[in-house]
Amino acid sequence: MWLRLAFLLLYFLALFVLARVFEAAVWYETGFFASQLVDPVALSFRKLRTILEGRGLAYAGLLEKKDVRQLVQKSGDLMEGELYSALKEEEASESVSSTNFSGEMHFYELVEDTKDGIWLVQVIANDRRPLMGKVHWEQMVKKVSRFGIRTGTFNCSSDPRYCRRRGWVRSTLIMSVPQTTTSKGKVMLKEYGGHKIETEHIFKWITSHTASRIKTIFKSEHLKEEWNKSDQYRVKIYLFAKLDQPPAFFSALSVKFTGRVEFIFVNVENWDNKSQMAEMGIYKMPSYILRTPEGIYHYGNNTGEFISLHAMDSFLRSLQPEVNDLFVLSLVLVNLMAWMDLFITQGATIKRFVVLISTLGTYNSLLIISWLPVLGFLQLPYLDGVYECSLKLFRYSNTTTLASWVRADWIFYSSHPALFLSTYLGHGLLIDYFEKKRRHHNNDEVNSNNLEWLSSLWDWYTSYLFHPIASFQEFPFESDWDEDPGLFLEHLAFPALWLHPLIPTDYIKNLPVWRFKCLSGHSEEEMVEISPSESDSDCECKDVPSRSTKVSEDEHSTLQNPCEGVLPQSAKICSCAKARSCRAVEDTEPDWSVWPATTLHCTECVVCLENFENRCLLMGLPCGHVFHENCIVTWLVGGQHCCPVCRWASYKKKKPYINLSALSNHNPF
């Protein structure tokens, strides 16, 4: 993870340097910087009008260039970067989508239940024509969407009862604006009552209603009182200007940051005494002043601080972020870091994408899990001090010159997504090149063939299904797939079968149970009276008469386990002298005739590591291994539904083991 984080930080550093290179190239070609001021006198009427539209100022009735230029000057300083962005936005011919409401509930969910946004809805009454034609409505949608105002159309033919209840008997325009200055407050609906159905007049009606939410100050006494007042708003932004009403972008931001930032408009058009503003540090008009508990900040003096919606929105988000903003930022950073695995991983292409999908799932899961306790802690009242200290740190760091450069680069790259993606791809290819050179220098073997890697992945997956522990430790093993394909399909159908087997234990009562007996010339009383010295002697083995029946190689390999079966020819049955039955004497051996024909002959239980005693109860499994009944039942009931020796499923039948003793009894020779 630290390697990916280092590569991501290196990428951000490359973006920062690349942005400075672009600035130098533009300066070399044109002789201007993005932060350089532009004289409105040198601009054409079309460019001046584009600037006013970008700032959201109505210019209806201004026919002369002089009047339009003065309106631009009254709204704020113009920079080269703002002019470029406004012209680029005007040239973009992308159509903005508008919502078509299907009924009352759809309208309520999107419009009336939206507490922090502005909606403009065109209502079309039954058997009536719309108030605005298709062409004018598209122009209106494109104009207001620049300020975050969403649009939609409600046709009363889809829900006539709701229209009658609302009183919409004729086609009209409806605007929804938050009614209070608190977050998630009520929404009020305003109906357009003008007679002129023109885009500029309707836009002026919208801006006047949104501006009514902003506190407006006309007298210096009120300004002094407001300046010295401390209330719930820790962050305030003032606009000092000689305008009739604030620009539309300023009003739209007041709705977007409801409950976080207070917007105040100070109309100084009729002020004669400017000494009070000089005491506040305000010497020019217009001025955008940000007042925080840490001090006063003049917006527009640093790089990228344009008089536009997007620039001021990114500035305020960095100063007073919401939890949702921080979560989205962390989500973007985590996914950018995870995508580095596509270039760090070497080998087959399919291998790269498999590793990438795994990394994306892991990182996003960890991110969501880590955010859950954070959200819980933020609800605790005694952590308000920590939250305030965090916001103070944000405000200190984001009012620096370096932060202004970062915000300017963010606006630049977000408006050019193709450039951002191409630089990320180029950075990844460089990582891939150097990582390949490093591994080649270290002689690391990498599977570059897709089929070869898929084959190794398939082998590992099949081993993981049957031997999960051994597959992680990379132990060699023999697969059970070739022996029983049905078991493999069963594991595919239930991949977690070996983890949490949901198997009933009814099969245990059907397993064979019998008593262990010894064949001896002595009576049981004589066997008990054997001296202790003999019982403490070492283990001895007794020869078993040779068998004429041969054992196949598979059966012989099955006998290579702690419970040795009957071997061909001259085999030996070994039993420890410490056992209290079937002692190693010449005339003593187990009675194999009572054993089922499918079981392997042995004299020791590998669960408790004790020898079988005379008259003890034994139980056999389908694989042929035999144990004490109590030992194996405890093992199976505990959830281990497999043989302790060979791991064969205890509930699944296996090819029957051919008991050599049984065959010898039927041997005609």
Side-chain angles (χ1 to χ4, degrees):
M1 185 182 72
W2 297 110
L3 180 63
R4 302 178 188 90
L5 181 60
F7 283 142
L8 184 62
L9 294 178
L10 183 63
Y11 171 64
F12 288 151
L13 180 61
L15 287 181
F16 183 80
V17 174
L18 185 62
R20 306 288 79 78
V21 171
F22 284 149
E23 287 183 358
V26 171
W27 174 81
Y28 180 79
E29 292 291 335
T30 62
F32 298 107
F33 283 110
S35 58
Q36 188 171 346
L37 296 177
V38 179
D39 187 5
V41 178
L43 299 179
S44 63
F45 183 80
R46 184 184 68 85
K47 291 183 178 180
L48 291 173
R49 189 176 61 181
T50 303
I51 295 299
L52 291 178
E53 289 180 354
R55 294 181 176 181
L57 290 170
Y59 55 87
L62 301 179
L63 302 178
E64 296 184 5
K65 178 182 177 181
K66 177 182 177 181
D67 299 331
V68 177
R69 185 183 70 246
Q70 290 179 353
L71 186 59
V72 171
Q73 293 174 342
K74 289 180 180 180
S75 61
D77 296 333
L78 179 62
M79 297 184 183
E80 287 286 347
E82 181 186 356
L83 178 61
Y84 170 78
S85 300
L87 294 176
K88 183 177 179 297
E89 202 171 318
E90 186 189 33
E91 293 174 358
S93 58
E94 297 180 1
S95 59
V96 182
S97 60
S98 182
T99 305
N100 291 319
F101 297 100
S102 58
E104 177 183 358
M105 292 305 300
H106 192 195
F107 181 82
Y108 176 80
E109 291 175 1
L110 296 183
V111 178
E112 296 187 68
D113 198 38
T114 302
K115 313 298 184 182
D116 54 355
I118 305 174
W119 274 88
L120 179 66
V121 182
Q122 180 172 214
V123 179
I124 305 176
N126 282 329
D127 302 329
R128 298 292 183 92
R129 299 179 61 183
L131 189 65
M132 299 184 69
K134 182 178 180 181
V135 177
H136 291 85
W137 176 247
E138 290 179 354
Q139 295 177 355
M140 192 73 221
V141 169
K142 189 174 182 180
K143 187 178 183 66
V144 300
S145 62
R146 303 173 67 175
F147 307 101
I149 301 176
R150 288 165 284 188
T151 58
T153 303
F154 189 93
N155 199 326
C156 288
S157 60
S158 60
D159 197 345
R161 295 180 58 185
Y162 182 67
C163 291
R164 287 195 300 268
R165 190 166 66 253
R166 282 285 186 179
W168 297 336
V169 294
R170 60 184 181 86
S171 299
T172 184
L173 291 175
I174 301 295
M175 183 181 66
S176 70
V177 185
Q179 188 173 359
T180 61
T181 57
T182 59
S183 180
K184 305 300 181 182
K186 295 182 179 180
V187 173
M188 58 180 176
L189 300 179
K190 297 288 185 178
E191 185 176 352
Y192 180 67
H195 299 286
K196 294 183 178 181
I197 313 301
E198 297 178 0
T199 304
E200 288 300 324
H201 286 85
I202 296 175
F203 183 73
K204 189 174 182 179
W205 168 73
I206 295 173
T207 55
S208 62
H209 278 292
T210 53
S212 62
R213 301 184 69 258
I214 299 177
K215 183 182 292 186
T216 305
I217 298 176
F218 295 96
K219 296 181 180 181
S220 59
E221 296 82 6
H222 296 165
L223 175 62
K224 184 177 181 181
E225 180 183 354
E226 177 65 34
W227 191 267
N228 298 325
K229 183 178 66 174
S230 66
D231 52 11
Q232 59 176 340
Y233 292 100
R234 306 299 299 274
V235 178
K236 298 181 182 181
I237 184 166
Y238 293 83
L239 169 58
F240 295 85
K242 296 180 180 180
L243 297 171
D244 296 334
Q245 65 181 24
F249 85 91
F250 196 76
S251 304
L253 288 173
S254 68
V255 177
K256 197 170 189 179
F257 288 88
T258 299
R260 287 191 285 169
V261 181
E262 184 180 12
F263 289 76
I264 300 174
F265 172 59
V266 183
N267 191 343
V268 297
E269 187 172 4
N270 299 323
W271 287 20
D272 297 330
N273 185 11
K274 304 295 178 63
S275 60
Q276 185 176 355
M277 288 188 296
E279 294 176 0
M280 298 176 181
I282 304 166
Y283 300 100
K284 67 174 185 177
M285 298 298 159
S287 294
Y288 292 85
I289 306 299
L290 181 74
R291 190 158 187 259
T292 64
E294 294 77 37
I296 297 174
Y297 183 83
H298 293 263
Y299 178 83
N301 294 337
N302 288 328
T303 303
E305 295 179 355
F306 308 139
I307 312 300
S308 63
L309 177 72
H310 298 294
M312 189 171 286
D313 176 60
S314 62
F315 173 73
L316 294 177
R317 280 181 182 272
S318 62
L319 290 178
Q320 199 76 4
E322 277 187 330
V323 177
N324 186 49
D325 299 332
L326 298 178
F327 174 75
V328 172
L329 179 62
S330 62
L331 184 65
V332 172
L333 294 178
V334 163
N335 282 273
L336 286 176
M337 188 168 59
W339 272 86
M340 290 291 177
D341 254 358
L342 184 65
F343 309 104
I344 297 176
T345 305
Q346 298 297 311
T349 305
I350 299 178
K351 175 185 177 182
R352 293 173 183 258
F353 281 98
V354 169
V355 174
L356 172 63
I357 294 173
S358 175
T359 306
L360 286 173
T362 303
Y363 279 23
N364 285 277
S365 301
L366 292 176
L367 177 67
I368 295 175
I369 293 173
S370 61
W371 264 100
L372 292 177
V374 174
L375 295 177
F377 288 140
L378 290 177
Q379 305 299 324
L380 301 178
Y382 48 85
L383 291 180
D384 291 341
V386 178
Y387 182 69
E388 290 296 331
C389 291
S390 302
L391 290 179
K392 184 178 293 187
L393 181 62
F394 270 109
R395 289 194 288 264
Y396 270 124
S397 59
N398 284 284
T399 51
T400 60
T401 304
L402 179 61
S404 64
W405 284 347
V406 172
R407 285 193 297 269
D409 295 346
W410 168 262
I411 296 174
F412 173 72
Y413 286 113
S414 61
S415 59
H416 299 80
L419 178 62
F420 179 81
L421 294 177
S422 61
T423 52
Y424 187 83
L425 179 61
H427 179 70
L429 292 177
L430 286 176
I431 294 175
D432 178 68
Y433 173 76
F434 287 111
E435 183 68 14
K436 189 177 297 183
K437 295 286 288 183
R438 185 189 67 82
R439 297 201 178 191
H440 179 72
H441 182 267
N442 295 337
N443 296 325
D444 293 342
E445 295 184 1
V446 178
N447 293 332
S448 59
N449 189 292
N450 288 330
L451 293 178
E452 181 181 352
W453 186 81
L454 283 176
S455 177
S456 63
L457 179 64
W458 176 256
D459 292 340
W460 178 87
Y461 181 64
T462 54
S463 68
Y464 180 73
L465 291 177
F466 293 105
H467 305 274
I469 299 178
S471 63
F472 282 119
Q473 298 176 352
E474 299 182 352
F475 289 159
F477 60 91
E478 296 181 3
S479 175
D480 295 330
W481 181 24
D482 298 332
E483 186 173 355
D484 188 0
L487 180 61
F488 174 74
L489 297 177
E490 187 173 352
H491 278 271
L492 285 180
F494 303 98
L497 189 61
W498 53 271
L499 285 176
H500 304 286
L502 302 177
I503 302 171
T505 57
D506 297 342
Y507 70 91
I508 298 178
K509 63 183 181 182
N510 297 324
L511 296 176
V513 179
W514 66 97
R515 290 189 180 274
F516 184 81
K517 295 182 180 181
C518 294
L519 295 177
S520 174
H522 300 279
S523 63
E524 293 183 6
E525 292 79 3
E526 294 175 343
M527 292 178 63
V528 173
E529 293 176 358
I530 296 178
S531 64
S533 60
E534 293 180 358
S535 62
D536 294 333
S537 61
D538 296 333
C539 295
E540 299 180 12
C541 298
K542 176 176 175 58
D543 292 334
V544 178
S546 59
R547 312 292 186 184
S548 59
T549 306
K550 296 183 179 181
V551 183
S552 64
E553 293 181 3
D554 293 339
E555 294 168 354
H556 183 74
S557 62
T558 306
L559 297 176
Q560 305 303 318
N561 53 62
C563 291
E564 295 292 340
V566 180
L567 297 177
Q569 298 177 359
S570 64
K572 295 183 178 182
I573 298 297
C574 298
S575 61
C576 185
K578 293 183 180 182
R580 290 177 296 174
S581 62
C582 295
R583 303 183 186 276
V585 293
E586 294 181 355
D587 54 351
T588 302
E589 69 171 350
D591 185 8
W592 305 116
S593 61
V594 297
W595 288 50
T598 58
T599 57
L600 299 172
H601 294 173
C602 63
T603 60
E604 182 184 18
C605 174
V606 299
V607 177
C608 63
L609 301 180
E610 294 289 339
N611 289 331
F612 297 148
E613 300 177 3
N614 192 28
R615 307 296 296 175
C616 67
L617 289 176
L618 305 181
M619 178 177 284
L621 296 181
C623 58
H625 294 110
V626 180
F627 313 88
H628 285 126
E629 183 190 28
N630 292 336
C631 297
I632 194 61
V633 169
T634 304
W635 169 276
L636 297 176
V637 173
Q640 304 292 335
H641 295 274
C642 60
C643 176
V645 178
C646 65
R647 298 295 174 179
W648 182 266
S650 56
Y651 55 90
K652 191 174 184 63
K653 293 183 179 180
K654 192 175 183 181
K655 183 170 59 175
Y657 167 75
I658 302 176
N659 196 329
L660 298 179
S661 300
L663 288 176
S664 62
N665 295 333
H666 299 282
N667 192 345
F669 303 99

